[in-house]
Amino acid sequence: MTAHKLKIDIVSDVVCPWCIIGYKQLEKALDMVGDDVEAEITWHPFELNPTMVPEGEAISEHVARKYGATPQQSASNRQRLTDLGDKLGFGFHYGPDMRIYNTFKAHQLLTWAGDAYGSAAQTRLKLALFSAYFQANRDVSDEEVLLSIVAEAGLDADEGRAVLNDPDNEAEVRAHLDHWIEQGISGVPAIIFDGKYLVPGAQEAETFVNVIRKVREKALA
């Protein structure tokens, strides 16, 4: 039977731990589905902290201020994420000095990567950014750090630098951000299958499998 070409749009932020968890669950689901589908993933921008100051903010202070979490609650949440990540093959390395950053420049580069290089390269850059932030505690708001990650992902850092200095690209990405907010998305990850079926949050792989199979059945009906 012919594989169904499945379009998957993922709205996410690179400093969102549930976004990498959700992606790893989706990746597991696609492995479980096997040859029934041929997935093309496109990443879309969402800023969890659009007004974050340039130097960022200590995560401990950020979650206390934004969510009212106690240090004990924060530690418990980080441990839960670490345990989940370990099961899914992504090791979180939460350090005592870890900070949260503004991610607009990262989204500029991700949008460019998708447009210029395609889905696979965009995913490669996205995963490199997740790894840089959650595993190496790098500053993903810093232009030079970002361009080094671009190069590590096999993309052209000089092109990336031009993108970051292009006002047209900045306007395009801000329009993308506004679009998803206008669509009612207020939290990430938000995963959309075939442009019609929205699944919010980092669901279990089995949930994604069920959604994918139903989407495929409807498309083939």
Side-chain angles (χ1 to χ4, degrees), residues 110-123:
L110 284 162
T111 301
W112 156 72
D115 291 343
Y117 292 92
S119 173
Q122 188 192 37
T123 293

Side-chain angles (χ1 to χ4, degrees), residues 2-201:
T2 304
H4 171 58
K5 291 188 177 180
L6 180 65
K7 185 176 185 291
I8 303 176
D9 295 287
I10 306 177
V11 185
S12 78
D13 201 352
V14 298
V15 294
C16 164
W18 291 108
C19 290
I20 181 59
I21 291 290
Y23 173 75
K24 298 299 287 186
Q25 295 282 24
L26 175 64
E27 188 177 52
K28 183 178 174 182
L30 289 169
D31 285 342
M32 292 164 70
V33 171
D35 295 336
D36 285 349
V37 300
E38 180 184 328
E40 180 176 328
I41 294 171
T42 302
W43 297 87
H44 300 279
F46 188 92
E47 285 187 286
L48 287 171
N49 303 287
T51 60
M52 180 57 65
V53 292
E55 67 272 18
E57 183 179 19
I59 282 187
S60 56
E61 296 171 10
H62 178 76
V63 295
R65 176 180 59 78
K66 188 172 181 180
Y67 304 108
T70 66
Q72 292 80 10
Q73 288 170 327
S74 294
S76 176
N77 289 336
R78 287 195 294 273
Q79 189 59 54
R80 181 185 174 202
L81 285 163
T82 300
D83 292 344
L84 266 172
D86 288 344
K87 289 178 182 177
L88 293 166
F90 185 89
F92 286 96
H93 299 157
Y94 281 108
D97 300 322
M98 195 168 180
R99 301 180 75 78
I100 195 90
Y101 298 105
N102 179 275
T103 52
F104 184 79
K105 289 180 180 178
H107 290 305
Q108 283 184 275
L109 291 167
L110 284 162
T111 301
W112 156 72
D115 291 343
Y117 292 92
S119 173
Q122 188 192 37
T123 293
R124 195 163 67 245
L125 179 58
K126 184 77 173 190
L127 296 180
L129 286 162
F130 278 137
S131 178
Y133 179 65
F134 286 112
Q135 297 181 320
N137 296 165
R138 297 168 78 181
D139 179 354
V140 291
S141 69
D142 182 270
E143 185 170 314
E144 295 306 319
V145 170
L146 287 169
L147 292 173
S148 69
I149 297 167
V150 163
E152 289 159 19
L155 308 182
D156 190 312
D158 289 335
E159 287 182 23
R161 188 182 301 278
V163 165
L164 293 178
N165 292 302
D166 181 357
D168 289 339
N169 178 275
E170 179 178 347
E172 177 189 353
V173 175
R174 293 208 183 278
H176 282 322
L177 287 163
D178 290 343
H179 167 77
W180 294 109
I181 292 169
E182 288 163 5
Q183 295 302 305
I185 290 176
S186 58
V188 287
I191 302 177
I192 302 131
F193 296 88
D194 269 359
K196 293 180 284 189
Y197 308 99
L198 169 65
V199 179

